[in-house]
Each structure stands twice: as structure tokens, then as C-alpha cells.
């Protein structure tokens, strides 16, 4: 009988699969279509880079085809070219393709020489990745010795991106003990090579043999595995595709299950090919009988942003002061969010549509003010969403094609005719962002975002949550340089009683400050507004708009770095404060926070996973305080602390991606997400780089018995604590729809989450120290009831027959709160544990409803009892034989005498 726990796990996997990515990729008759490769706007113009991208994909396609047993190939690719590069007739305007949904980004390295190809993977095993990262030098073929041919590396990264597999090497632990012998972390075991170390100082390097650490039995950390340049083994691409003979992924037959790598840890010892076989791509294809065609390429160049607001002014917009709140959010978008040089139009609708403004290019504050004056002031009539969309298409087409244009659609009403214009929307090539306002917005609204790659958001009628302004603030351009995008520093709201004050601070850090805007809204009468800059100077010149019920202050030039203070006073009304800014310099990447959820529609009891990525350029920001606020359709708000600890929902520790499970559903319907991040550390050192899931850097090659070393990887700041970065960011994480939620009280159906970071160390010759991050009662919330620890000397038996394994006495092991550090020391019993024994350990958490987690990753210890230390050799040595070379003694005799003497000397040293 299948356990309920297993059923829930399968259900979770079903709903998580493929949910993370916003990719446009389609699999059509074995060929991957609509792949988007984007060249970052900060990359200097170089047309040869475009040709190199084409060559990379063209080389990769047949390699992918053979590696997947003739199942997959690359069919069509769009290359997104920066607006700042020269225009050419063959460059077309993008449709749905943007930098935000690019599958591959070619961007400058985050430090000199840091050209590691890697793939962002927010999810766990079998879940699609986010994006592949290449540098121009890598694409141009300047790193062939270190990573191998670009096309082969592309296939390695594609497996991360599309099928959610992980690396089969381990930069943090390059060797392991197996039955008392030191082995390199490789896959398959048939890869040949040698072990060596290189010590460099002052620009010169010497080669050394690897030394054994007498405490661990492993080689010291300087030791590297150097592969032979000529091999016969064909697997595995996820270990090193740069080896010429490697043309396949590891299968169940040749996979090295013992190797301590991420693939084994994350994928329950399964080979990469087994994971690929379980993917939806694999299930809906069969091997081809003919060779695939070469990839086709479409060259696209981004241009000026074209956006049309389509705003609901039907009678229901009177409720909850929605019209005023919509205008407040619209004004923020027009005054600040939309970028300079963009073309913006305005359409409003009720039972019919009305053009408020044709497209206007924003070149000045006057253009922005002109558009704000067209926001609707009265609400009446019915709701015809299709009328609004059709009118927007007409407005756009008067100047430009609708391909790649954006429409921001806000509505609070139901409309059972919305599906009538779905085909027109698909054919338009426009991107539609949807804002659902209140509990009754059309159920089909999100379909418009899904089919066009737009952002879907939801705002409740709780004005203090500032949901509408957050939604509009998130609508910065999907293209163009990050330095041009609006960044939200703060978003707060509060309902004040009597003559209360709303006091607080906002941090303006050195990466932002340009075009900084403070915006205050109210629901009744203007409040008293006081604002001081970091030097204590009170700010003057606040603009008050009593009709829209907002006030704002635009800081001229670049705002001072530091802590800005504000005080707002009002009586019996709701106030909100929003602060936005832009990058202070085009050459200094701003700290950015982007958030998302794993699925836009979640069916109970599947959990939602909330993600927040905090980076400065491509450098992760670690140890930030990150919280997510999830608001249901009835206005109930749940606060989640997001973590970057590599446990629970978080796939990788210290990668700047913070995650958490959400299970606190209270009803069916829409849920909005808002993320707040404060402070952190800019580590971005070697440790952070090693966490990336990407192609292995080959330290050198063994050619004709001699090692040909590659240049060492660039050394970054080794300070693991990094430097403190003070910043504040808030932003909308979009929305999702929950279905099948039972009525209260909601039963306990959520098991503890799987433990994924179990580690084991051996103390002496009998004690084993285990560490892991505590799961919760419901995934990573609350506290588990108990732990079950199983041990075995056979790794596969432990995985496949955990219930029958030898159990450790855990009577005294009381689970801690979720995300606490657990430590447990035990002595193996009922099992033979002697020198050279490999012991495998796994753990399972159980909650108070007897729901069990999945079995943890498998940790291992190898009992290594070092041999007795050799005594120091004596200073005396056998006398040197008196050898006189003359014509009567043969050379052979001399060699025999010397050989005998050397043997006596060696014996003397060995025995002391």
C-alpha cells in the first residue's frame, strides 16, 4: 500500500515540475524551439560574438542529439542584441523575447578571469533551472583548455537548465575514502588520470606529489585529479564534457553512486540519465530515425519601450476606494517606474473603451505630467476587458507594431467574455501584465499573462498593504540596462488612530540614489509629512496632489548615501510610504531583489515555494534579512522568513537565493507576495563561485605522462564573512492562485521536509558526529516529533531498504525548531565497524501526525585508523663501499655494488 507521505511527495513533484522558469522554450518534434540567448547591454559591441554564439549552438546540437540517444536537438534560437549596438536590416524587433525571460545570458564576468559557465538552479532535482550564464571570453573560445569546446559546455549547462540535474564533481571535496582507499570524485569510475598538487608563490609554481592527511586518510586540499588527455570512457557529461571521449550522460549502470557530489546528494544517488528519463521532455519523445537539421537563428534587437495602460473604470471601482488607489499606483508608474525615452499610451474601459492618450514619448517631466492628467476620475458602467485590449492594440499600431509592446491591464470586475479575445492577444505579439484588484477580478485574467509571458499580480482592498503600488512598481522594463530600471527601496503602510505618528527610516546605499522619489498616499486628508536626509537636513518642496490623495518629493541629482528619516502624522486613516530610486552609476551594478514563486497555480496540498534572489550584478549578497508577506484574497497576511541555508526549500547554500515553503493556506483564490530585504554581506569570493552549478574547471591535463597545468583559477577575497552591505529593498513577487483548499479547520497533511544537508564526521575509531538542519512539522515550519536514523555498510541497501536498516537509538534526540542546527553523536552498534569500513547514514523526520519526510541525503564515514608513526631515521648510515673505478672492474659490477648499498641504506632508514 502506498503511504500518504509518498503520495504527497509525488504530488509535490508533479506540481513543482517546470514551474520555476519563465522560459519561452517549446519542444516540438524532438527539437527545442524559441530558445532566447541575450547579450547583456554592458557587453561592448562586437559582431563576432554573434557568430560565435551561432557556432556554439550549431556545435552543441549534434552533441546533444547523440548524448540523448537521438532524442533532442536545438531547432531555433533567438539572439537578443542590445539596443546600444548598431542597427542592421536583418535585426528584427523582439516579440515576447526579453532579458527577463532569456534562457542564456552572455554578460561580463563578476571579476577578472571569473569566466565559469554556470546555471542558476533555484529548485531541487528534476526541476528546471532559471538561466545559463556565459561570459564573452568563454563564448569567444578563450577558455578551451579550462572548460573544453563551447558547444559541449552548452550541453552540460542545458542539462542543468532543462532537466534539473547537478554536477558530478565536487570542488569542496575532490577525493573520498572507499574501503580504505583514496578515490577521486569522478563519474564514471573508468575516467583515468593521476593525482598531483601544484604550489605557487610569487609567480612561480612547483609540482608536488599528493600527501595523505594522517587524521583523515584523504589527500591534502592542494591535491588535484588530473585526467589523461586521451580516454576511452564515454561518460559522463556532468562530470567533464571537456574530455574528448565523453559523449554520454552517466546511466544507472556506470554511475558512481559513492562519489560525494551534488548529483548524488540532491537526486538520491540517481544517475543524470535516470533523472532525464523522468522528465516530461523524455516522456513525450521517441528517438529519431534521421539526422536533425542545423539550428536556425533569429537576430533581434531591443528598442524603445512601448507600453499602454489599460485601466478599469467600471462602477465596481468605487468600492474600497479602488479608483483613487489605482490612480496613485498609476501615477507612481508614470512619474517614476517607466523609463526615460519610453512610449506610453492610456486606455480606460467600462462597458466600452476610451483612449485617454495616444502614445507619448517620455523625454521630460512635462510628458510624465501630461500622462498623469489622463488617469480616470470617475467610475461607472460594466466591464469589457476585450474592448480595452483591442483599443490598446489600435493605439500602439498607430505608431508601432504590437510585437514586443507591453500592456498593463488592471481590473477588479468579472467578465465572462474575456476568452473571446484570447486569439487576438496571442497573434498580437504583445506582452500583457495583469493586475487583479479585489476579490472579484475575472478568473481568466491570469491566462492573459501566461500566454504572453507577462507578470501577474494581485492586490487586495487592504490599502495599508500597499499592494497596488507594489504591483505597478514591479513593472520596470524587461529589456535595457539594469542601471535604467526603477528599484523600490521601501513600501510600508499603516492605519493610524487619533493623532498617531508613522515613523521610520530608509537606507539609500551607494549603488542607488539617482532619481530617488518619496511617495506618500492617504485615504482621507493630507497628513503632516516630515523628511530628513542623512545629514539631518529637513527636506522641502513636497508636491501635494489632493485629488489623487498623494504627495511626493523627487530628490534632485543623486540622493545622499545613508539613513533617511521620515515622520508622518494623521488621524484615523491609512497612510502608505513608497521610496524608489535608480542605479547611482552605470558602471556600478545596483543591489537588486527579484522574487518569484514555484507555480502560478497551486492545488492543495502542494506547497508553494517562495524565492528571492539578492545580487549585485552576478555577485550574490549573503546573510541578508529577507521576509516575504503573503496576502490571501480575504486580506489575511502571513510573514515568512526566507533562508539561504541549503535546507528545506533552499536548494543551494550561500548562492544569494533565499527560499521557504508556504503551507498556511486559509482559502481558495489569489495570494499576493511581497518581499522585503535588509542588509547583508558581499562575499562573492571563491566559496560563492564554487557553489555554482556549472562546468568543471580542469586544473590540467596528463599528456604523454607529463602534467600540462592550466592557469590557476583567479583567487577572490577569501574573507568568508565579506564586507557588510547596508541596503533596503522591497518589491512585488507576483501572485498565485490556490485551489482545492478545504474549509477550516485545515487538516495536517504536510509532512516534514526532506533533510538535504546531513553530514557525518568520525571521532576516534568509534564515535560518529552527525549534523543537519532541522526540518519542521509542516515542511520547514514548526518542529518535528522524532527522528529515525538508519545505518548500513551498503549504500544502495540503505537507500532502497531504509526501513530494514540497522537503527540508531535516538531516544535522547529531541527535534529542535525548524532551521535550527542539529548535532547528534552516536556509537555504531549491531554492525561491524573496523578499519577500512565505509558506513552510510540516513535520517528521516516524523511529525506528530506520523507523517514522514523523504529519506535524507546519505552521509558517509570511512573508518581510517592511521598506521603507527614511523620513528625518525637515525643519523648513522651504512658505510659507503670503497669503490675505485679502474680498468679491471666492470661497469656492471659497480652498479651491483651501488644497488646493494642503496638497499642497505633504505633498510636502515625504514627500520631506524
Amino acid at each position: 500500500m502506498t503511504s500518504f507521505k509518498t503520495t504527497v511527495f509525488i504530488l509535490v513533484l508533479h506540481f513543482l515540475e517546470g514551474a520555476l522558469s519563465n522560459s519561452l522554450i517549446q519542444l516540438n518534434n524532438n527539437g527545442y524551439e524559441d530558445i532566447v540567448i541575450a547579450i547583456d547591454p554592458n557587453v561592448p559591441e562586437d559582431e563576432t560574438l554573434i557568430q560565435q554564439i551561432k557556432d556554439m549552438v550549431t556545435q552543441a546540437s549534434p552533441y546533444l542529439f547523440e548524448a540523448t540517444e537521438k532524442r533532442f536537438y536545438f531547432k531555433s534560437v533567438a539572439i537578443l542584441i542590445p539596443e546600444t549596438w548598431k542597427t542592421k536590416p536583418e535585426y528584427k524587433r523582439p516579440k515576447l523575447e526579453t532579458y527577463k525571460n532569456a534562457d542564456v545570458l552572455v554578460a561580463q564576468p563578476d571579476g577578472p578571469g571569473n569566466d565559469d559557465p554556470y546555471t542558476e538552479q533555484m529548485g531541487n532535482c528534476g526541476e528546471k533551472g532559471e538561466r545559463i550564464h556565459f561570459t564573452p571570453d568563454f563564448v569567444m573560445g578563450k577558455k578551451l583548455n579550462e572548460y573544453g569546446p563551447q558547444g559541449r559546455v552548452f550541453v552540460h549547462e542545458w542539462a542543468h537548465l532543462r532537466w534539473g540535474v547537478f554536477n558530478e564533481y565536487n570542488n569542496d571535496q575532490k577525493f573520498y575514502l572507499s574501503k580504505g582507499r583514496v578515490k577521486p570524485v569522478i563519474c564514471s569510475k573508468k575516467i583515468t588520470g593521476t593525482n598531483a598538487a601544484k604550489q605557487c608563490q610569487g609567480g612561480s609554481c612547483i609540482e608536488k606529489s599528493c600527501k595523505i592527511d594522517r587524521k583523515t586518510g584523504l589527500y591534502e586540499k592542494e591535491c588535484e585529479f588530473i585526467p589523461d588527455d586521451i580516454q576511452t570512457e564515454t561518460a559522463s557529461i556532468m562530470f567533464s564534457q571537456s574530455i574528448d571521449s565523453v559523449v554520454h550522460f552517466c546511466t544507472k549502470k556506470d554511475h558512481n553512486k559513492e562519489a560525494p557530489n551534488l548529483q548524488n546528494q540532491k537526486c538520491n544517488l540517481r544517475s543524470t540519465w535516470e533523472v532525464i528519463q523522468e522528465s516530461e521532455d523524455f516522456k513525450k519523445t521517441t528517438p529519431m530515425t534521421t539526422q536533425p537539421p542545423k539550428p536556425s537563428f533569429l537576430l533581434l534587437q531591443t528598442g524603445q519601450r512601448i507600453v499602454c495602460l489599460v485601466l478599469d473604470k467600471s462602477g465596481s471601482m468605487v468600492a474600497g476606494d479602488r479608483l483613487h488607489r489605482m490612480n496613485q499606483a498609476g501615477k507612481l508608474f508614470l512619474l517614476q517606474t517607466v523609463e526615460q525615452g519610453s512610449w506610453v499610451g492610456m486606455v480606460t474601459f467600462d462597458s466600452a473603451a476610451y483612449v485617454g492618450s495616444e502614445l507619448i514619448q517620455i523625454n521630460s517631466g512635462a510628458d510624465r505630467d501630461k500622462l498623469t492628467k489622463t488617469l480616470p476620475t470617475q467610475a461607472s458602467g460594466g466591464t469589457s476587458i476585450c474592448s480595452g485590449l483591442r483599443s490598446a492594440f489600435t493605439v500602439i499600431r498607430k505608431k508601432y507594431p504590437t510585437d514586443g509592446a507591453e500592456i498593463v491591464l488592471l481590473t477588479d470586475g468579472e467578465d465572462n467574455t474575456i476568452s473571446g479575445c484570447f486569439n487576438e492577444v496571442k497573434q498580437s505579439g504583445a506582452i500583457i501584465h495583469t493586475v487583479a484588484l479585489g476579490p472579484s477580478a475575472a478568473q481568466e485574467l491570469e491566462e492573459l499573462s501566461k500566454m504572453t509571458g507577462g507578470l501577474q499580480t494581485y492586490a487586495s482592498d487592504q490599502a495599508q498593504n500597499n499592494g497596488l503600488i507594489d504591483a505597478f512598481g514591479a513593472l520596470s522594463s524587461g529589456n535595457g540596462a539594469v542601471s535604467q530600471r526603477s528599484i523600490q527601496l521601501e513600501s510600508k503602510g499603516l492605519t493610524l488612530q487619533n493623532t498617531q505618528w508613522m515613523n521610520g527610516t530608509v537606507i539609500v546605499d551607494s549603488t542607488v540614489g539617482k532619481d530617488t522619489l518619496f511617495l506618500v498616499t492617504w485615504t482621507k486628508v493630507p497628513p503632516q509629512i516630515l523628511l530628513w536626509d542623512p545629514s539631518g537636513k529637513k527636506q522641502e518642496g513636497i508636491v501635494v496632489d489632493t485629488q489623487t490623495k498623494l504627495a511626493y518629493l523627487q530628490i534632485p541629482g543623486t540622493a545622499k548615501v545613508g539613513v533617511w528619516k521620515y515622520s508622518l502624522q494623521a488621524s484615523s486613516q491609512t497612510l502608505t510610504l513608497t521610496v524608489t530610486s535608480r542605479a547611482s552609476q552605470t558602471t556600478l551594478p545596483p543591489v537588486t531583489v527579484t522574487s518569484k514563486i514555484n507555480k502560478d497555480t497551486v492545488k492543495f496540498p502542494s506547497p508553494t515555494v517562495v524565492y528571492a534572489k539578492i545580487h549585485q550584478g552576478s555577485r550574490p549578497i549573503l546573510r541578508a534579512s529577507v521576509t516575504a508577506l503573503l496576502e490571501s484574497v480575504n486580506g489575511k497576511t502571513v510573514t515568512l522568513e526566507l533562508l539561504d541555508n541549503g535546507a528545506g526549500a533552499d536548494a543551494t547554500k550561500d548562492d544569494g537565493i533565499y527560499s521557504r515553503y508556504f503551507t498556511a493556506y486559509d482559502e481558495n483564490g489569489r495570494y499576493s507576495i511581497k518581499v522585503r530585504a535588509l542588509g547583508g554581506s558581499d562575499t562573492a569570493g571563491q566559496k560563492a563561485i564554487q557553489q555554482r552549478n556549472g562546468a568543471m574547471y580542469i586544473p590540467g591535463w596528463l599528456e604523454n605522462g607529463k602534467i600540462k597545468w592550466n592557469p590557476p583559477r583567479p583567487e577572490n577575497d577569501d574573507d568568508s564573512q565579506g564586507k557588510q552591505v547596508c541596503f533596503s529593498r522591497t518589491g512585488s513577487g507576483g501572485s498565485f492562485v490556490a485551489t482545492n483548499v478545504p474549509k477550516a479547520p485545515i487538516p495536517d497533511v504536510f509532512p516534514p521536509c526532506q533533510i538535504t544537508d546531513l553530514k557525518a564526521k568520525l571521532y576516534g575509531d568509534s564515535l560518529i558526529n552527525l549534523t543537519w538542519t532541522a526540518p519542521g512539522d509542516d515542511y520547514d515550519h514548526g518542529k518535528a516529533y522524532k527522528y529515525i536514523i538508519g545505518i548500513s555498510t551498503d549504500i544502495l541497501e540503505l537507500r532502497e531498504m531504509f526501513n530494514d536498516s540497522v537503527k540508531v537509538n535516538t531516544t535522547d534526540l529531541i527535534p529542535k525548531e525548524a532551521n535550527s542546527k542539529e548535532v547528534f553523536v552516536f556509537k555504531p552498534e549491531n554492525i561491524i565497524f573496523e578499519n577500512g569500513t565505509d558506513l552510510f547514514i540516513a535520517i528521516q523526520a516524523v511529525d506528530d501526525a506520523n507523517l514522514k519526510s523523504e529519506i535524507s541525503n546519505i552521509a558517509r564515514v570511512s573508518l581510517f585508523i592511521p598506521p603507527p608513526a614511523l620513528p625518525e631515521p637515525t643519523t648513522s648510515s651504512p658505510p659507503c663501499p670503497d669503490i675505485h673505478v679502474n680498468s679491471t672492474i666492470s661497469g656492471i659490477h659497480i652498479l651491483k655494488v651501488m644497488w646493494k648499498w642503496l638497499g642497505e641504506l633504505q633498510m636502515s632508514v625504514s627500520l631506524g
Side-chain angles (χ1 to χ4, degrees), residues 13 17 42 85 151 256-257 316 326 465 526 576 637 675 777 858:
L13 285 184
E17 185 169 14
N42 290 324
W85 287 27
N256 183 2
K257 300 175 181 65
S316 56
M326 178 184 73
N465 292 338
T576 73
T637 300
V675 170
D777 175 81
I858 296 178

Side-chain angles (χ1 to χ4, degrees), residues 264-293:
N264 281 329
Q265 180 181 336
K266 295 289 187 183
C267 298
N268 197 20
L269 310 183
R270 289 175 297 162
S271 68
T272 53
W273 187 243
E274 289 175 88
V275 176
I276 293 169
Q277 285 178 308
E278 293 169 5
S279 69
E280 288 300 312
D281 288 356
F282 193 93
K283 292 174 183 176
K284 63 185 182 184
T285 55
T286 57
M288 294 174 62
T289 56
T290 59
Q291 289 295 310

Side-chain angles (χ1 to χ4, degrees), residues 510-527:
S510 61
T511 71
V512 294
K514 187 178 178 182
D515 292 341
T516 302
L517 180 79
F518 287 78
L519 182 87
V520 176
T521 73
W522 58 86
T523 53
K524 292 182 180 177
V525 295

Side-chain angles (χ1 to χ4, degrees), residues 269-431:
L269 310 183
R270 289 175 297 162
S271 68
T272 53
W273 187 243
E274 289 175 88
V275 176
I276 293 169
Q277 285 178 308
E278 293 169 5
S279 69
E280 288 300 312
D281 288 356
F282 193 93
K283 292 174 183 176
K284 63 185 182 184
T285 55
T286 57
M288 294 174 62
T289 56
T290 59
Q291 289 295 310
K294 289 184 178 182
S296 64
F297 297 92
L298 181 63
L299 302 182
L300 306 174
Q301 187 170 35
T302 58
Q304 294 165 326
R305 188 181 187 189
I306 301 162
V307 59
C308 187
L309 299 180
V310 179
L311 306 178
D312 188 346
K313 69 174 195 69
S314 61
S316 56
M317 289 292 290
V318 175
D321 204 25
R322 293 173 190 164
L323 189 71
H324 270 121
R325 290 171 52 225
M326 178 184 73
N327 286 347
Q328 291 165 352
K331 197 156 188 176
L332 172 69
F333 178 81
L334 295 169
L335 288 175
Q336 177 74 357
T337 306
V338 68
E339 297 79 7
Q340 197 81 346
S342 302
W343 289 85
V344 182
M346 174 87 67
V347 169
T348 60
F349 69 92
D350 45 41
S351 304
Y354 314 90
V355 176
S357 172
E358 302 290 350
L359 289 181
I360 294 175
Q361 188 172 29
I362 296 180
N363 293 315
S364 65
D367 297 322
R368 296 178 184 272
D369 289 338
K370 184 177 180 181
L371 282 161
T372 62
K373 290 180 172 60
T374 65
L375 289 164
T377 56
Q378 293 184 330
S380 63
T383 305
S384 177
I385 292 171
C386 285
S387 295
L389 292 174
R390 290 181 180 122
S391 183
F393 294 153
T394 301
V395 167
I396 295 167
R397 285 170 181 151
K398 286 182 180 179
K399 273 194 174 293
Y400 294 101
T402 49
D403 288 346
E406 298 171 74
I407 290 175
V408 179
L409 171 64
L410 179 146
T411 185
D412 75 334
E414 298 178 359
D415 181 359
N416 56 16
T417 66
I418 188 172
S419 60
C421 56
F422 279 2
N423 284 335
E424 294 171 66
V425 168
K426 290 177 184 177
Q427 293 168 7
S428 72
I431 300 168

